[in-house]
Amino acid sequence: MSANQKILVVDDEHDIVDLIAYNLTKEGYQVYQAHNGREGIDMAKQVNPDLIILDVMMPEMDGIEACRLMRSMPEFKHTFMVFLTARSEEYSEIAGFNVGADDYIAKPIKPRALMSRINAILRRNTAEAEISSGDKLEIMDLVIDRDSFLVYRDTDRITLAKKEFELLYLLASKPNKVFTREQILKAIWEDSVVVTNRTIDVHIRKLREKIGENYVATVKGVGYKFELN
């Protein structure tokens, strides 16, 4: 799976970069390095990586700003971006997801766990290609039919309210991607003026009651994701 896949590691701690690069190279990935946000953007433009690992706290330009800038560039719209940091404050995780991060990994680095997470993120490319068929998503044991606004679990037909269906379709279209509450509100309730975070929570609860508890996971303080097991 890792053949020809490119990963850029951006961190001002050289020992950390070396450790990550060593383990990624053993897995067969092509690894590139940079040591601050500006270098990271320049290197990303040169090598067009499949995934970028960004430290949050770096000199010259931090990871949050680097991610925000790259997400505004068309060439990095679909590039996976993962934050790596020793900071555990909830607000920094929220800031990371708000600028387009796909995941968040805390230091100290545990190589085996890191490799497992990276492999899982990159598998999403294959998963997204396999589940989509026109306006129909087939994922795990669910078939989500946008034309009929119906969901099938094995042979059972599940009828959802319109917003419940749109919420499920949004999450399932990007399995394992964390959608912030702001992203969900914009995508599903963009034209509404009286919508709160409580509205999302209620729809998630109703969705779980109808399709089961094992599909939509809560990411505390951030939002929700469709969990691809």
Side-chain angles (χ1 to χ4, degrees):
M1 185 192 88
S2 57
N4 300 318
Q5 287 185 302
K6 294 178 286 187
I7 298 179
L8 170 62
V9 184
V10 188
D11 195 314
D12 60 319
E13 297 184 61
H14 290 255
D15 290 346
I16 295 292
V17 175
D18 290 343
L19 174 64
I20 295 173
Y22 171 76
N23 284 278
L24 288 171
T25 301
K26 282 204 310 181
E27 290 284 316
Y29 294 109
Q30 298 180 48
V31 183
Y32 302 86
Q33 302 181 15
H35 297 100
N36 62 60
R38 294 189 189 281
E39 284 184 12
I41 292 173
D42 291 341
M43 181 62 72
K45 289 178 178 178
Q46 293 178 40
V47 304
N48 190 27
D50 298 284
L51 183 146
I52 301 172
I53 300 174
L54 286 160
D55 186 30
V56 169
M57 299 299 292
M58 292 185 290
E60 295 192 40
M61 180 185 291
D62 64 28
I64 300 288
E65 179 65 9
C67 180
R68 186 188 67 78
L69 289 173
M70 285 189 283
R71 281 295 188 223
S72 70
M73 303 175 188
E75 61 266 41
F76 302 121
K77 183 177 180 181
H78 300 295
T79 304
F80 291 111
M81 297 195 192
V82 177
F83 279 116
L84 179 71
T85 182
R87 298 178 66 181
S88 59
E89 296 93 333
E90 186 176 279
Y91 76 85
S92 65
E93 294 191 22
I94 295 172
F97 285 122
N98 280 338
V99 295
D102 293 284
D103 208 342
Y104 208 95
I105 299 172
K107 296 176 181 177
I109 302 299
K110 298 178 180 178
R112 187 173 298 177
L114 176 68
M115 293 307 105
S116 177
R117 188 81 66 88
I118 296 303
N119 289 336
I121 293 168
L122 286 169
R123 276 199 300 272
R124 192 189 303 165
N125 268 338
T126 303
E128 289 177 9
E130 289 176 348
I131 65 174
S132 183
S133 176
D135 284 333
K136 184 182 292 185
L137 298 180
E138 298 183 27
I139 182 167
M140 294 171 60
D141 58 349
L142 297 180
V143 176
I144 307 168
D145 190 335
R146 197 178 184 93
D147 287 336
S148 64
F149 274 76
L150 289 174
V151 176
Y152 298 86
R153 185 179 58 220
D154 296 327
T155 58
D156 296 329
R157 189 174 80 170
I158 303 169
T159 303
L160 301 177
K162 185 173 185 290
K163 292 300 186 185
E164 294 166 5
F165 181 90
E166 291 175 351
L167 179 56
L168 175 62
Y169 194 94
L170 173 69
L171 298 176
S173 69
K174 299 285 185 181
N176 287 333
K177 173 180 172 59
V178 178
F179 286 87
T180 66
R181 293 172 181 274
E182 290 77 12
Q183 290 171 329
I184 293 171
L185 286 171
K186 184 176 180 181
I188 307 299
W189 284 277
E190 186 172 9
D191 297 328
S192 300
V193 291
V194 187
V195 177
T196 66
N197 286 337
R198 177 64 179 160
T199 302
I200 299 177
D201 297 337
V202 169
H203 280 74
I204 291 289
R205 177 174 56 78
K206 291 180 178 178
L207 191 55
R208 286 170 172 160
E209 288 174 357
K210 293 178 180 180
I211 68 171
E213 297 284 337
N214 299 323
Y215 301 97
V216 178
T218 301
V219 180
K220 186 178 179 182
V222 181
Y224 297 96
K225 66 176 179 177
F226 189 100
E227 194 150 58
L228 189 62
N229 296 321

